Amino acid sequence: MKKLIGPKKIRTAVFISGKGSNLKNLIRYSKIKTYPFSINLIISNYNKAKGLKYSNIFNIEKKIIKYDKKIKIDNKILKILKKKNIKLICLAGFMKILSKNFIKRFDGKIINIHPSLLPKYKGLNTHYRAIKNREKFAGCTVHYVNSKLDSGKIILQRKVKISKKDNHISLAKKVLKLEHLVYPAAIKIILD
Ligand code: GAR
């Protein structure tokens, strides 16, 4: 991605479906001078997503978009993104699959955080499956989004040890903590 000149920040939209701890964390980092992005829009497919509260707390515009008719919705989101001059999309716990058309229109500008050491454990229940398979390590990955699920080029990945005491809940907590370090770092890598 192009180099930043001066203090200009890349206008970013964060897509969520749930709690929004990654969203909150990205907002926090976006306020640091050396992190070259600003969060200007929050999009959720779910009107009860807890993370939507950060819209009020941080005074960031939010849009709730129900994913029923995909093509219509894609066009609606694309219009909103254009109007807000959004240049980067960060998926953060967004549990819907974007259409090929949408990804094409925003090619190379959509990234996602996934709670596993990709290419292992694409999809759901990553921690449960990692423990069941007696993996020694778990972790998280930030990657570009392409039309195949959790398969785009990896930007940054970090691992944590799975201890004997871990279950999928404790492991999820451990990995989420790591995600909060890895996501902003990955954005910095692609924008610097
Ligand atoms: C995070 O662990 C994120 O990696 C995961 O959902 C959680 C969202 O937490 N994403 C996926 O599983 C996407 N396939 P948050 O709402 O607190 O940021």
Side-chain angles (χ1 to χ4, degrees), residues 167-180:
N167 58 28
H168 68 282
I169 296 166
S170 65
L171 185 58
K173 273 190 193 154
K174 232 187 216 178
V175 172
L176 194 62
K177 217 168 156 189
L178 193 63
E179 290 182 37
H180 294 164

Side-chain angles (χ1 to χ4, degrees), residues 94-125:
F94 184 64
M95 293 311 197
K96 291 283 174 185
I97 293 172
L98 297 168
S99 74
K100 278 188 185 157
N101 172 55
F102 186 91
I103 294 167
K104 213 168 132 195
R105 295 276 293 275
F106 246 82
D107 194 27
K109 292 172 189 160
I110 310 175
I111 62 175
N112 179 44
I113 188 150
H114 184 74
S116 81
L117 295 171
L118 290 174
K120 278 189 168 177
Y121 306 112
K122 296 171 183 174
L124 299 174
N125 305 319

Side-chain angles (χ1 to χ4, degrees), residues 111-174:
I111 62 175
N112 179 44
I113 188 150
H114 184 74
S116 81
L117 295 171
L118 290 174
K120 278 189 168 177
Y121 306 112
K122 296 171 183 174
L124 299 174
N125 305 319
T126 54
H127 306 306
Y128 180 81
R129 288 187 283 149
I131 286 181
K132 200 170 160 219
N133 287 345
R134 300 178 188 280
E135 295 283 358
K136 287 198 170 64
F137 293 95
C140 63
T141 307
V142 178
H143 64 93
Y144 285 104
V145 172
N146 65 14
S147 57
K148 284 192 198 140
L149 182 71
D150 301 327
S151 297
K153 192 176 167 231
I154 291 174
I155 300 162
L156 192 59
Q157 184 172 72
R158 287 280 178 272
K159 60 183 180 180
V160 279
K161 225 174 163 35
I162 302 179
S163 80
K164 287 208 175 84
K165 282 188 234 149
D166 272 324
N167 58 28
H168 68 282
I169 296 166
S170 65
L171 185 58
K173 273 190 193 154
K174 232 187 216 178

Side-chain angles (χ1 to χ4, degrees), residues 44-56:
S44 173
N45 63 299
Y46 179 47
N47 61 359
K48 290 196 175 76
K50 288 213 173 97
L52 282 169
K53 68 176 180 220
Y54 298 117
S55 161
N56 288 338

Side-chain angles (χ1 to χ4, degrees), residues 20-126:
S21 73
N22 275 291
L23 164 66
K24 182 187 175 195
N25 182 61
L26 289 181
I27 296 170
R28 200 163 67 84
Y29 272 89
S30 74
K31 297 187 186 299
I32 302 171
K33 216 174 166 186
T34 49
Y35 282 77
F37 59 95
S38 57
I39 309 298
N40 303 90
L41 182 65
I42 300 165
I43 289 193
S44 173
N45 63 299
Y46 179 47
N47 61 359
K48 290 196 175 76
K50 288 213 173 97
L52 282 169
K53 68 176 180 220
Y54 298 117
S55 161
N56 288 338
I57 295 174
F58 294 102
N59 195 21
I60 299 169
E61 190 177 340
K62 66 168 182 239
K63 293 273 179 206
I64 294 146
I65 307 219
K66 276 206 181 136
Y67 263 66
D68 34 22
K69 290 184 192 123
K70 256 203 171 165
I71 294 175
K72 241 174 128 182
I73 285 152
D74 277 0
N75 291 333
K76 195 173 161 185
I77 302 180
L78 285 166
K79 257 192 198 160
I80 299 168
L81 296 173
K82 203 171 170 197
K83 199 172 143 209
K84 295 281 294 174
N85 199 19
I86 297 297
K87 301 290 186 215
L88 177 69
I89 295 174
C90 294
L91 308 184
F94 184 64
M95 293 311 197
K96 291 283 174 185
I97 293 172
L98 297 168
S99 74
K100 278 188 185 157
N101 172 55
F102 186 91
I103 294 167
K104 213 168 132 195
R105 295 276 293 275
F106 246 82
D107 194 27
K109 292 172 189 160
I110 310 175
I111 62 175
N112 179 44
I113 188 150
H114 184 74
S116 81
L117 295 171
L118 290 174
K120 278 189 168 177
Y121 306 112
K122 296 171 183 174
L124 299 174
N125 305 319
T126 54

